[in-house]
């Protein structure tokens, strides 16, 4: 197993709230998740600096996905978007990296989510999945929220699992994975194979 995956497993297991999840269960879940190909919706609502448009997500070599499903409090998550600033600033410096923060609120919360995003006036694009396409396209996405933030390589497979802004250790690990991807034209190479 490569050292990056092992590092991710250790980080994820240390974040575990439930004592019933063993380290082996988490390792198996990460390995299984890395085999999945993630598909972005055909159409998303994009909110950027109080401008709203409907867009088809562009394919980039590397895609960092931060996904908030309908079970999460969208208003709460919107209020914490400023914590993602470093991630967006990094994507400004790396043309091959695109960040997709995707909200998929319940239908009855959609209008409030849009109001919250407009009031925030965030300078980077935030996406809203109005009809739940992300979950339908990726029906086997784990329910565990720790698997709702991940970096995709150019083949659409997760190569980093977790929110890199959650801790300094995750951020450092994320940068190492990005270095690997940049050196290998967007494809993750397991250096210990």
């Amino acid at each position: 197993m490569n050292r990056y995956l092992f590092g991710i497993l250790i980080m994820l297991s240390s974040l575990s709230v439930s004592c019933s999840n063993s380290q082996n269960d988490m390792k198996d879940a990460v390995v299984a998740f890395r085999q999945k190909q993630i598909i972005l919706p055909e159409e998303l609502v994009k909110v950027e600096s109080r401008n709203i448009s409907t867009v088809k997500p562009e394919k980039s070599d590397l895609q960092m996905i931060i996904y908030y499903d309908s079970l999460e409090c969208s208003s709460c998550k919107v209020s914490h978007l400023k914590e993602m600033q470093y991630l967006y600033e990094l994507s400004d410096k790396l043309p091959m990296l695109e960040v997709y923060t995707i909200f998929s609120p319940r239908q009855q919360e959609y209008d409030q989510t849009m109001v919250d995003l407009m009031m925030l006036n965030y300078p980077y694009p935030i996406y809203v999945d109005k009809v739940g396409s992300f979950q339908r396209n990726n029906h086997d996405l784990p329910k565990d929220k720790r698997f709702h933030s991940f970096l995709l390589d150019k083949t659409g497979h997760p190569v980093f699992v977790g929110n890199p802004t959650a801790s300094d250790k995750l951020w450092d690990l994320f940068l190492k994975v990005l270095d690997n991807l940049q050196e290998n034209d967007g494809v993750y190479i397991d250096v210990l194979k």
Side-chain angles (χ1 to χ4, degrees):
M1 178 183 305
N2 80 47
R3 66 177 177 227
Y4 298 121
L5 177 59
F6 184 72
I8 291 169
L9 294 173
I10 290 172
M11 296 290 175
L12 287 175
S13 65
S14 69
L15 296 174
S16 179
V17 176
S18 169
C19 294
S20 64
N21 286 343
S22 72
Q23 211 169 18
N24 287 336
D25 290 344
M26 184 58 68
K27 179 179 107 175
D28 293 344
V30 170
V31 169
F33 185 58
R34 290 186 67 205
Q35 303 306 311
K36 309 275 186 236
Q37 186 171 26
I38 303 298
I39 302 166
L40 290 177
E42 288 292 317
E43 189 175 90
L44 292 169
V45 175
K46 177 178 160 183
V47 181
E48 183 175 10
S49 301
R50 293 195 176 138
N51 294 314
I52 299 174
S53 58
T54 303
V55 297
K56 177 178 177 147
E58 294 180 23
K59 182 70 175 140
S60 58
D61 285 346
L62 307 175
Q63 298 171 319
M64 182 66 209
I65 309 294
I66 310 290
Y67 174 63
Y68 300 113
D69 68 14
S70 62
L71 300 177
E72 297 192 57
C73 170
S74 293
S75 293
C76 301
K77 296 302 180 183
V78 167
S79 69
H80 289 280
L81 279 174
K82 291 184 181 185
E83 296 166 8
M84 300 291 178
Q85 189 94 9
Y86 295 120
L87 191 56
Y88 282 99
E89 289 170 355
L90 179 63
S91 74
D92 284 343
K93 296 174 188 170
L94 299 175
M96 68 186 318
L97 175 64
E98 187 69 35
V99 178
Y100 286 96
T101 301
I102 302 172
F103 286 88
S104 186
R106 292 183 193 104
Q107 199 59 44
Q108 62 268 29
E109 295 176 358
Y110 174 79
D111 290 339
Q112 185 60 51
T113 301
M114 295 301 289
V115 167
D116 292 342
L117 288 171
M118 293 296 286
M119 288 177 56
L120 182 65
N121 192 22
Y122 202 61
Y124 295 101
I126 303 298
Y127 300 90
V128 181
D129 178 13
K130 186 176 182 177
V131 295
S133 297
F134 188 85
Q135 184 65 46
R136 278 194 308 279
N137 290 349
N138 304 290
H139 55 84
D140 49 1
L141 182 72
K143 294 193 184 317
D144 187 332
K145 304 287 185 249
R146 294 172 291 182
F147 289 85
H148 290 190
S149 297
F150 45 86
L151 176 66
L152 301 176
D153 68 3
K154 71 190 301 182
T155 67
H157 291 87
V159 293
F160 176 90
V161 180
N163 184 339
T165 65
S167 74
D168 290 340
K169 288 181 181 181
L170 278 174
W171 183 257
D172 291 342
L173 184 60
F174 178 70
L175 294 178
K176 288 177 184 175
V177 171
L178 280 177
D179 285 344
N180 180 302
L181 289 161
Q182 287 178 303
E183 291 171 8
N184 298 294
D185 195 30
V187 176
Y188 187 77
I189 304 297
D190 187 344
V191 294
L192 297 179
K193 279 187 177 177

